[in-house]
């Protein structure tokens, strides 16, 4: 999994002439003990492609947490205006996620955890602010649906408040 992420970052970083952004999700880090990092590459003035990597460090016993342990999310964004500061966007994403689900052993009250890997397809909407110095703030929310196994949760959230830098 690390090799795939490394190859993707090297491939995307080879396009050094266009606008690029690196961001971290501040909301996830503070609220959920989760680290989410994103890279975004602008293909035109109104569209971009990118990838996010989410790592969940929250314990099983936490009352409120992401169900996913890890999630790698390639995405495509289309921006609705040409504004240089505030802009609104729609996003289509494919989230490849891993996690575990609590299951009860038949005939007993014992609970076990079963690991899964699944892929979710979804949409999100948001807004982005870019300062003249390159500071980036984007806020987005959306939902995806896991498609390939019954072991995973049906719905995957995609929410965030990202802070980053455009270069």
């Amino acid at each position: 999994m690390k090799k795939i992420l490394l190859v993707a970052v090297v491939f995307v970083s080879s396009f050094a002439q266009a606008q690029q952004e690196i961001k971290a999700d501040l909301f996830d880090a503070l609220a959920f003990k989760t680290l989410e990092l994103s890279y975004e590459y602008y293909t035109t003035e109104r569209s971009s492609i990118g990838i996010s990597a989410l790592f969940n460090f929250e314990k099983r016993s936490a009352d409120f947490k992401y169900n996913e342990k890890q999630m790698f999310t390639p995405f495509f964004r289309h921006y609705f205006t040409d504004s240089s500061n505030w802009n609104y966007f729609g996003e289509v994403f494919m989230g490849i996620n891993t996690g575990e689900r609590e299951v009860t052993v038949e005939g007993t009250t014992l609970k076990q955890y079963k690991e899964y890997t699944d892929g979710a397809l979804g949409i999100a909407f948001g807004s982005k602010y870019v300062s003249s110095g390159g500071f980036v703030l984007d806020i987005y929310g959306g939902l995806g649906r896991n498609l390939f196994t019954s072991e995973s949760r049906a719905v995957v959230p995609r929410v965030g408040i990202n802070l980053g830098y455009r270069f």
Side-chain angles (χ1 to χ4, degrees), residues 81-95:
T81 66
D82 290 327
S83 173
S84 60
N85 286 357
W86 278 104
N87 209 335
Y88 299 96
F89 62 84
E91 174 183 289
V92 176
F93 67 90
M94 173 69 183

Side-chain angles (χ1 to χ4, degrees), residues 66-86:
Y66 280 114
N67 293 316
E68 297 77 27
K69 283 185 180 179
Q70 297 176 351
M71 186 164 168
F72 297 98
T73 310
F75 60 85
F76 170 79
R77 285 184 177 171
H78 177 73
Y79 292 87
F80 298 119
T81 66
D82 290 327
S83 173
S84 60
N85 286 357
W86 278 104

Side-chain angles (χ1 to χ4, degrees), residues 51-119:
I51 188 164
S52 294
L54 178 136
F55 303 97
N56 188 350
F57 301 109
E58 193 69 71
K59 295 181 177 156
R60 282 185 191 162
S61 60
D63 292 331
F64 190 73
K65 66 180 183 86
Y66 280 114
N67 293 316
E68 297 77 27
K69 283 185 180 179
Q70 297 176 351
M71 186 164 168
F72 297 98
T73 310
F75 60 85
F76 170 79
R77 285 184 177 171
H78 177 73
Y79 292 87
F80 298 119
T81 66
D82 290 327
S83 173
S84 60
N85 286 357
W86 278 104
N87 209 335
Y88 299 96
F89 62 84
E91 174 183 289
V92 176
F93 67 90
M94 173 69 183
I96 300 149
N97 59 83
T98 63
E100 57 187 18
R101 186 167 184 163
E102 186 177 85
V103 293
T104 304
V105 178
E106 281 189 43
T108 68
T109 59
L110 294 175
K111 301 206 183 239
Q112 293 180 335
Y113 290 91
K114 189 166 188 173
E115 292 189 4
Y116 66 85
T117 299
D118 207 345

Side-chain angles (χ1 to χ4, degrees), residues 36-57:
E36 184 173 6
L37 302 172
S38 298
Y39 172 81
E40 189 172 352
Y41 171 79
Y42 284 80
T43 56
T44 68
E45 286 185 17
R46 294 182 109 186
S47 63
S48 66
I49 58 172
I51 188 164
S52 294
L54 178 136
F55 303 97
N56 188 350
F57 301 109

Side-chain angles (χ1 to χ4, degrees), residues 19-33:
Q19 289 182 345
Q20 303 172 59
E21 295 174 2
I22 295 178
K23 302 173 276 193
D25 192 337
L26 187 63
F27 177 74
D28 282 350
L30 296 175
F32 300 113
K33 291 186 184 175

Side-chain angles (χ1 to χ4, degrees), residues 142-153:
L143 292 173
R145 174 139 175 93
N146 276 324
L147 302 171
F148 303 113
T149 180
S150 62
E151 299 299 326
S152 61
R153 305 281 183 200

